Amino acid sequence: MRRESIWHAAFALVAGALLGSALALVFPAVVPHLPRDFGYILLGGLAAWVVIPVDPHGSLNLSPLVFLAVAVVSSTWEGVIVAVTAPLLAATVGFVTSSSTPRQPFVEAISSGGEAAFSLLVAGVTVSLLPGLTGEQMRLVLLPVVCLATMFALQ
C-alpha cells in the first residue's frame, strides 16, 4: 500500500510537470488549432472511459491508442497533453455519471496520465536521439513501440 501511494504521488507530480511544460511549449503554436486539440482531448477522454476488464490482472483502456495517434499525427507534446488530460476527463465523467462511488479515484487518474505522458516523452526523446534514424516511417514505427514498451515496464 505504501509503495502504491508513493507511486501515485510521484506520477501525479510527473503529470503536472509534463502538462505544464507541454502547455508552455505548444500553446503558442496550437492557438489556431484549438478546436482540433479539444477534439483530441475529448476523443482521448472517451477512450479512457471505455474500460475492458482483463481477469485476473485488472483492466485496460483505449486511451494509449489515441495519444499515440495524436503524437504521430501532430507532435509529441500534443500527445502528452492528451495523455494527461484524457484520464482526468474520464474520471470526471465517471464521477458525474456514477450515483455511488466513482469508477476511478482522481489520484489514480492523475497518476495514470503521468505514467502515459512519461512513457510518451521517453519514446519521443529516444526516437529523436537514435543515430541514423531517417525517414518518417521509422518514427511512425518506433515511437509507438518504445512508448508501449515503457508503459509495460512501468506496470
Side-chain angles (χ1 to χ4, degrees):
M1 183 68 173
R2 180 169 167 79
R3 179 194 177 275
E4 189 172 306
S5 61
I6 291 173
W7 185 265
H8 289 313
F11 276 103
L13 290 173
V14 168
L18 288 179
L19 182 61
S21 300
L23 287 174
L25 291 171
V26 171
F27 190 73
V30 169
V31 171
H33 307 290
L34 280 179
R36 177 193 71 184
D37 292 334
F38 284 134
Y40 288 156
I41 291 170
L42 180 63
L43 185 61
L46 291 173
W49 194 51
V50 174
V51 177
I52 302 166
V54 181
D55 291 328
H57 300 292
S59 62
L60 174 71
N61 66 38
L62 302 176
S63 67
L65 297 174
V66 175
F67 69 75
L68 283 172
V70 170
V72 168
V73 170
S74 297
S75 72
T76 303
W77 288 110
E78 289 184 45
V80 165
I81 292 170
V82 173
V84 173
T85 56
L88 292 174
L89 183 60
T92 303
V93 169
F95 179 75
V96 170
T97 59
S98 176
S99 61
S100 57
T101 60
R103 289 176 25 171
Q104 182 181 27
F106 283 109
V107 174
E108 288 182 19
I110 295 170
S111 174
S112 173
E115 290 177 23
F118 178 77
S119 299
L120 186 56
L121 188 65
V122 166
V125 168
T126 302
V127 168
S128 67
L129 292 178
L130 284 176
L133 183 65
T134 58
E136 190 68 21
Q137 294 169 343
M138 288 300 289
R139 181 181 178 273
L140 291 176
V141 171
L142 285 179
L143 185 73
V145 168
V146 173
C147 183
L148 292 174
T150 307
M151 290 175 72
F152 181 75
L154 287 175
Q155 300 301 315

